[in-house]
Amino acid sequence: MKKTISQSMLSFILNGISILTLLFLMISLLFYGSVSRKLTTANEQRFGLTYNANRFMNGSAYLTNEVRAFAATGQQEHYDNYWNEIDNLKNRDKGVAAMQEIGITSEEQKMIDNMSELSNTLVPLEDEAMKNVQAGNMQAALDYVYGTDYSSSIAQINTIKEDFLAALDTRTLARVETLERNARSIETAMFVALLFVIIIQLINIVTMKVRVLRPIISVRDQMSEISQGNLSAEFPLTPSTSEIGMLVASIHETKQELKKYIHDIDSKLSEMADGNMDLVIGDDYRGEFLPIQNAMRQIVDSLNAALSRINLTAEQVSKESRRMASDAQILSSGAVAQASAVQELSSSIQELSTQVDRTSEDADTAQKCSTDAASLLMASNDKMSDLASAMENISNASQEIGGIIKTIEDISFQTNILALNAAVEAARAGEAGKGFAVVAEEVQNLANKSSSSAKDITELIENSIKMIKQGTSLTMDTTNSLADVMVGAKQATDLIEQIAGSATQQSQALHQLTAGMEQIAGVVQTNASTAEKSAASAKELQNQSEELKVSVHKFRLKNHR
């Protein structure tokens, strides 16, 4: 087979180059549209910046002209025009805002700020000039607006204006020119790409005509001959590795295969027409012709095997019907036994359901008792809390009593000192102080007894405080224990509630199971009845299969190898 490049690969290469070029053209067109939009935007921004810059500058010049005209003529119209520009028109502010919105550089903003600052220095001079005009001092007003300071500031503003306009025009013009150059470059690339696509398509047309259309016309003529049944027509094309060459090879092979199939079918049908059914059908058919070969094989095999299968089937039906009758009888006996077992199981489940109902009732009673016990424990816990509070109050009172005893000891000590002092003074007084010495001695004895009693009372109080503390500690321990008992009682109550709920659910489930077992018992009774009927039907089927077997044996069948 001759080797040559395939038509599809050649077409893929040429069309691929065209598609890539068209993609480049489309991308260039998108870039051209983007550059055109940017160019339009740049021109609009250039116009807007120039317009608003002139608006800003004209606003400043308008204010200067109006204030000078008012100073020269004194006409109220110029005064009103000045303040109308300041208060209403605001061309300077609006122009700056518009330029900032469009976009200006920091240097341009700096120039605007310088012009604004210089303009602000003119405001006081303009105010003084207008005040002098209103006062009738026309010459003084002219000196303010035509003086050296005013004129110098105006000259500086004009200089900055010229620099600002020049810088603004240079920047915007450079961007516009750059975008125009980009647009022209893209237009040139688009023209070259379009010309390249046209050349590739012309080459593609010529190639398709020579390498595709002419061979396809020959293939069409040859296929027309084949469709009319002429398999011997001349076909001048030779096979190759291209798609058309492979198609030509397929046509040659198709003609050979069709001739082979026609010859084989003709010979087989002739033998079948002569009555020879003992034929062997080969396996050399391919593709869509396989059904024909399979059909011929099935015709031969079916005619030889049909009655044999009927005979075998009748034998099997007879055997299976006898087996079915025996199985149906066994099934009927088993169904009766199953019905009895289901009845006993249903009785057991009924008894179990009664026991579970009793358990559920006992669980409800236990739940109620547990709830009552928990309520009593809560009341006991509240009483223990009150007892702990009372013990704490007693402890505090005991502390206060200890303070009082301390005060009594202090009083006894002071009384003893006073008694000693009185005894000393009585001794100094001699005979005259003997009676006073007796009293002092009695007071001292009383103080000593009070001190001794206070010590005894203090000891008793301290013992009482220790016992109160011990009682308080025991009360707190008891309270904590009751709290733990409360937690345990709560857990026990919750568990009993869960047990009661589970017992209720078990009771409900057993009721449902009892109802299901009753349904099963009904179904089993029905199955037993049906099994008896099936046994009778199987017996009838056995009789009919015996009759079919006798009928099939009347045929004389061919022996199979």
Side-chain angles (χ1 to χ4, degrees):
M1 186 178 292
K2 184 173 64 175
K3 294 184 176 294
T4 181
I5 186 171
S6 63
Q7 287 84 2
S8 60
M9 180 58 69
L10 183 60
S11 176
F12 175 76
I13 293 172
L14 295 175
N15 289 323
I17 295 173
S18 298
I19 290 172
L20 292 176
T21 308
L22 288 174
L23 288 175
F24 173 77
L25 185 62
M26 184 171 62
I27 294 171
S28 300
L29 184 62
L30 293 175
F31 276 112
Y32 182 76
S34 176
V35 172
S36 297
R37 289 191 295 273
K38 291 180 180 178
L39 181 60
T40 302
T41 303
N43 285 321
E44 291 175 353
Q45 290 179 351
R46 183 184 183 195
F47 172 77
L49 288 171
T50 304
Y51 171 77
N52 287 288
N54 289 322
R55 184 180 183 183
F56 167 72
M57 296 171 184
N58 290 336
S60 298
Y62 179 77
L63 291 174
T64 300
N65 293 332
E66 289 298 323
V67 75
R68 283 181 170 178
F70 182 61
T73 61
Q75 295 180 0
Q76 184 66 28
E77 177 184 358
H78 299 295
Y79 179 83
D80 294 337
N81 290 338
Y82 178 88
W83 287 109
N84 184 47
E85 172 63 27
I86 294 293
D87 297 331
N88 298 322
L89 298 179
K90 299 180 180 180
N91 285 308
R92 295 186 303 171
D93 297 335
K94 292 180 180 178
V96 172
M99 286 189 290
Q100 290 175 345
E101 184 178 357
I102 294 172
I104 56 177
T105 63
S106 58
E107 293 295 330
E108 293 168 351
Q109 182 64 46
K110 186 175 180 181
M111 292 181 185
I112 293 172
D113 295 338
N114 292 334
M115 287 187 286
S116 298
E117 291 176 0
L118 290 173
S119 298
N120 292 333
T121 60
L122 300 178
V123 173
L125 299 176
E126 293 171 351
D127 289 340
E128 292 297 328
M130 288 187 287
K131 290 178 181 178
N132 280 283
V133 171
Q134 291 173 347
N137 299 325
M138 303 296 292
Q139 185 59 44
L142 291 173
D143 290 340
Y144 275 111
V145 295
Y146 285 97
T148 303
D149 294 339
Y150 195 89
S151 299
S152 176
S153 298
I154 291 296
Q156 292 179 12
I157 291 174
N158 289 333
T159 300
I160 296 174
K161 284 180 181 179
E162 293 175 359
D163 293 340
F164 178 74
L165 289 174
L168 192 64
D169 184 68
T170 300
R171 179 174 66 84
T172 55
L173 181 60
R175 176 162 177 76
V176 170
E177 289 177 347
T178 300
L179 292 172
E180 287 178 347
R181 287 195 299 271
N182 293 337
R184 286 194 294 271
S185 299
I186 294 173
E187 287 177 351
T188 303
M190 290 170 61
F191 176 77
V192 172
L194 183 60
L195 182 62
F196 186 73
V197 168
I198 293 172
I199 294 172
I200 291 297
Q201 289 303 315
L202 289 175
I203 295 173
N204 192 16
I205 291 172
V206 173
T207 303
M208 291 299 105
K209 182 177 180 180
V210 173
R211 299 200 58 183
V212 177
L213 291 179
R214 289 178 183 175
I216 286 177
I217 292 172
S218 299
V219 170
R220 180 200 63 187
D221 296 338
Q222 184 63 214
M223 293 304 294
S224 177
E225 294 291 337
I226 293 174
S227 65
Q228 294 177 5
N230 185 8
L231 300 179
S232 300
E234 184 181 0
F235 190 34
L237 297 180
T238 57
S240 66
T241 57
S242 65
E243 285 86 354
I244 300 297
M246 294 173 69
L247 178 60
V248 170
S250 298
I251 292 174
H252 284 295
E253 186 177 359
T254 300
K255 291 172 67 176
Q256 293 176 0
E257 288 294 319
L258 287 175
K259 290 179 181 178
K260 182 182 71 174
Y261 295 151
I262 291 172
H263 175 72
D264 186 62
I265 292 170
D266 179 65
S267 62
K268 292 292 191 301
L269 291 177
S270 296
E271 292 184 13
M272 291 174 67
D274 293 338
N276 181 16
M277 303 299 295
D278 190 10
L279 300 175
V280 177
I281 308 299
D283 295 326
D284 54 347
Y285 284 32
R286 294 184 296 175
E288 297 294 332
F289 293 96
L290 282 175
I292 297 175
Q293 187 180 38
N294 293 332
M296 293 174 63
R297 185 182 294 112
Q298 289 175 3
I299 290 172
V300 175
D301 294 340
S302 296
L303 291 176
N304 286 281
L307 292 176
S308 296
R309 287 199 301 272
I310 293 173
N311 186 27
L312 181 62
T313 301
E315 186 69 27
Q316 291 177 352
V317 169
S318 178
K319 292 180 180 179
E320 290 298 327
S321 62
R322 286 195 297 270
R323 185 182 301 169
M324 183 183 296
S326 177
D327 292 342
Q329 189 64 37
I330 296 171
L331 178 62
S332 176
S333 302
V336 173
Q338 186 181 21
S340 177
V342 167
Q343 188 67 31
E344 293 178 359
L345 180 60
S346 177
S347 300
S348 300
I349 291 175
Q350 186 68 32
E351 183 178 357
L352 179 60
S353 176
T354 303
Q355 294 177 358
V356 170
D357 289 339
R358 293 173 186 169
T359 303
S360 177
E361 293 175 359
D362 294 339
D364 291 336
T365 303
Q367 179 184 2
K368 183 177 179 181
C369 293
S370 177
T371 304
D372 294 341
S375 300
L376 292 175
L377 282 174
M378 290 179 66
S380 299
N381 188 40
D382 294 338
K383 295 297 182 179
M384 287 304 298
S385 298
D386 294 340
L387 177 59
S389 178
M391 292 297 292
E392 185 176 359
N393 293 333
I394 292 171
S395 178
N396 294 331
S398 298
Q399 297 292 334
E400 293 177 357
I401 293 172
I404 294 171
I405 295 302
K406 180 66 175 175
T407 303
I408 293 171
E409 289 179 352
D410 292 340
I411 293 171
S412 175
F413 179 73
Q414 294 294 330
T415 303
N416 194 14
I417 292 173
L418 289 174
L420 291 173
N421 291 332
V424 172
E425 292 298 328
R428 289 179 182 177
E431 292 296 331
K434 287 183 177 181
F436 187 74
V438 173
V439 173
E441 184 179 359
E442 291 297 327
V443 170
Q444 185 177 7
N445 291 332
L446 181 61
N448 291 330
K449 291 179 179 180
S450 297
S451 177
S452 177
S453 298
K455 289 180 180 179
D456 294 338
I457 293 171
T458 300
E459 185 177 356
L460 291 174
I461 291 298
E462 288 178 352
N463 292 331
S464 298
I465 290 173
K466 290 180 180 179
M467 294 178 69
I468 288 170
K469 289 182 178 179
Q470 184 178 3
T472 302
S473 177
L474 291 174
T475 301
M476 292 300 296
D477 293 340
T478 304
T479 302
N480 295 330
S481 298
L482 276 175
D484 294 336
V485 171
M486 281 292 297
V487 173
K490 183 67 171 60
Q491 294 177 352
T493 302
D494 293 339
L495 290 175
I496 290 172
E497 288 180 356
Q498 294 178 1
I499 292 170
S502 300
T504 302
Q505 292 178 356
Q506 291 175 1
S507 177
Q508 294 175 353
L510 281 172
H511 283 303
Q512 293 177 355
L513 180 60
T514 301
M517 287 302 300
E518 291 177 354
Q519 293 179 356
I520 292 173
V523 172
V524 169
Q525 292 291 341
T526 304
N527 289 341
S529 177
T530 304
E532 292 177 355
K533 294 179 180 179
S534 298
S537 299
K539 185 65 177 176
E540 182 65 23
L541 178 62
Q542 180 183 0
N543 295 332
Q544 293 179 359
S545 64
E546 290 295 336
E547 293 179 0
L548 177 62
K549 185 177 179 182
V550 172
S551 299
V552 170
H553 277 300
K554 294 179 181 179
F555 292 97
R556 185 170 58 87
L557 302 179
K558 179 181 177 181
N559 292 327
H560 290 272
R561 290 174 293 179

